[in-house]
Amino acid sequence: MTAPQPVVVDLEPPPPTPPSLLQLFLAFGKISLVSFGGGVTALMYREFVIGRRWVAEGDFMSGLALAQAMPGVNVTNLAIWLGSQLRGPAGAVVACLGALVPAALLIIGVGALLHELAKTPLGASALAGVAAAALGLTLAMGLRTAKFALVDRTSLVIFAIALIGAAVFGSIVLLVAILAPVSIVLAYRNTPDE
């Protein structure tokens, strides 16, 4: 009689079928239309990692870090990166268009109305409430990102220097120019050899 074989459970789900370009555009378009004043990365995370399972959490966090380190708007950078990961160069273009075009059309159509609404006490209060909710979503995404980024003393020191430097200098261009190469070198040194 043979000994029972251990049961092996595959915890990683099989990779999903990449979305079509239309699905990609519609997903980013939806996000661009329902996000107001910030918190977009949290919505992208919920949509692409949790909801649709198109991207693994670690990959999303890597893309977010890259998007934040590159010049330009973080959300657009992340959309381009996600689109590229999911559908190559065409996906990058479609994701970028999905993230920008629907929202731009909405802004053009509703911009004048919001301008007039902000002049009323009720309108100003409503817009302040939306801003507070966006701040909460942004902080939640920051905490989730910190879980992946602040893994050792070195990353904590780099984070503290960046935080203090941004508060003192106001501009992050010099900080990124200095801390990005330092962080890359330190991360490379701390990567175990395979």
Side-chain angles (χ1 to χ4, degrees):
M1 195 168 216
T2 61
Q5 297 296 318
V7 176
V8 177
V9 177
D10 184 13
L11 298 177
E12 286 292 317
T17 305
S20 69
L21 292 175
L22 178 61
Q23 287 174 315
L24 200 58
F25 180 85
L26 293 175
F28 277 100
K30 171 187 161 189
I31 290 170
S32 77
L33 291 174
V34 300
S35 59
F36 293 89
V40 182
T41 54
L43 292 174
M44 292 170 86
Y45 174 85
R46 192 168 58 214
E47 183 76 18
F48 298 118
V49 175
I50 297 172
R52 297 177 187 261
R53 298 185 183 268
W54 285 348
V55 180
E57 185 172 31
D59 292 337
F60 182 91
M61 293 301 171
S62 295
L64 178 60
L66 181 63
Q68 291 173 335
M70 300 300 291
V73 180
N74 293 345
V75 172
T76 306
N77 291 346
L78 184 57
I80 292 168
W81 184 86
L82 287 168
S84 175
Q85 294 299 302
L86 293 168
R87 295 294 297 191
V93 171
V94 167
C96 183
L97 290 174
L100 296 176
V101 171
L105 293 175
L106 182 65
I107 289 167
I108 291 168
V110 181
L113 177 64
L114 289 178
H115 179 70
E116 292 302 316
L117 182 64
K119 293 178 182 177
T120 68
L122 179 61
S125 295
L127 292 174
V130 169
L135 177 61
L137 288 171
T138 301
L139 288 174
M141 192 68 224
L143 292 173
R144 183 171 292 279
T145 304
K147 174 180 144 185
F148 282 89
L150 305 177
V151 295
D152 57 17
R153 283 189 198 142
T154 304
S155 60
L156 286 169
V157 168
I158 295 291
F159 170 75
I161 292 169
L163 187 64
I164 293 166
V168 170
F169 299 117
S171 173
I172 63 166
V173 175
L174 182 61
L175 287 169
V176 170
I178 294 169
L179 293 179
V182 170
S183 297
I184 291 168
V185 168
L186 291 174
Y188 180 76
R189 282 184 163 174
N190 292 335
T191 303
D193 295 332
E194 292 187 36

